[in-house]
Amino acid sequence: MTPRPYNCSDITACLSIFDSNVPTYFAPQERGDFERFLHEHAAQCAFQVIEVEGQVVACGGLWNCGEGRTSFCWGMVERGRHRQGLGRALAVARLRQAAADPSIQRITLSTSQHTQGFYAGLGFQVVRVVADGHGAGIDAVEMERVL
């Protein structure tokens, strides 16, 4: 369960992971944003994937926001593989990556009410909630962890 760097041949698998999590965890209209991100920003966001038996089943990255802050971006696990430790492995790898950069003092993320507890278990605190902020029925729960 060790993450590896994303490469452009992973795009179809990553989009499939996204699709498996619609509509509970992502709104359908977010797909275009995710696809654009994969084409245009994944490399500069240290985007990573996790493979199981040669199949990409999880992905996520870090967006450098400047001013001592980085943000988890587009983290997800294939829906049928939730609760198998993949999300935790990916999150811990990103936490370690952020902690290795002395210029980073805090990590932020925007998640939903469905995964807020998962991130709370990793030390993130809720700083703001926007009802339906990610789409109908999907609140935007903004969280932060100080390093």
Side-chain angles (χ1 to χ4, degrees):
M1 271 199 271
T2 303
R4 67 157 172 82
Y6 167 87
N7 62 59
C8 56
S9 65
D10 297 321
I11 191 166
T12 301
C14 290
L15 289 171
S16 179
I17 294 167
F18 177 92
D19 293 340
S20 76
N21 285 287
V22 172
T24 304
Y25 300 97
F26 294 103
Q29 63 268 23
E30 292 181 284
R31 191 180 200 275
D33 291 338
F34 182 49
E35 187 169 6
R36 250 184 317 286
F37 167 84
L38 291 172
H39 284 293
E40 299 171 10
H41 302 289
Q44 67 202 64
C45 292
F47 206 66
Q48 302 174 63
V49 299
I50 294 177
E51 292 181 325
V52 172
E53 298 174 359
Q55 179 184 5
V56 173
V57 297
C59 57
L62 286 173
W63 185 278
N64 188 340
C65 305
E67 299 179 3
R69 188 170 57 94
T70 193
S71 182
F72 276 16
C73 63
W74 294 112
M76 62 192 82
V77 174
E78 182 184 300
R79 187 170 188 146
R81 294 182 182 267
H82 287 188
R83 300 193 170 274
Q84 295 179 11
L86 296 161
R88 180 174 266 303
L90 184 62
V92 167
R94 293 186 288 168
L95 287 169
R96 285 184 182 137
Q97 182 180 4
D101 184 338
S103 72
I104 302 296
Q105 286 95 40
R106 60 192 167 117
I107 305 169
T108 61
L109 60 86
S110 183
T111 192
S112 74
Q113 70 272 28
H114 305 295
T115 52
Q116 149 185 0
F118 169 79
Y119 289 108
L122 292 168
F124 286 86
Q125 303 287 322
V126 175
V127 293
R128 185 169 82 130
V129 177
V130 178
D132 296 329
H134 288 301
I138 307 174
D139 297 344
V141 180
E142 297 175 12
M143 303 181 80
E144 176 179 275
R145 177 178 163 167
V146 176
L147 293 178

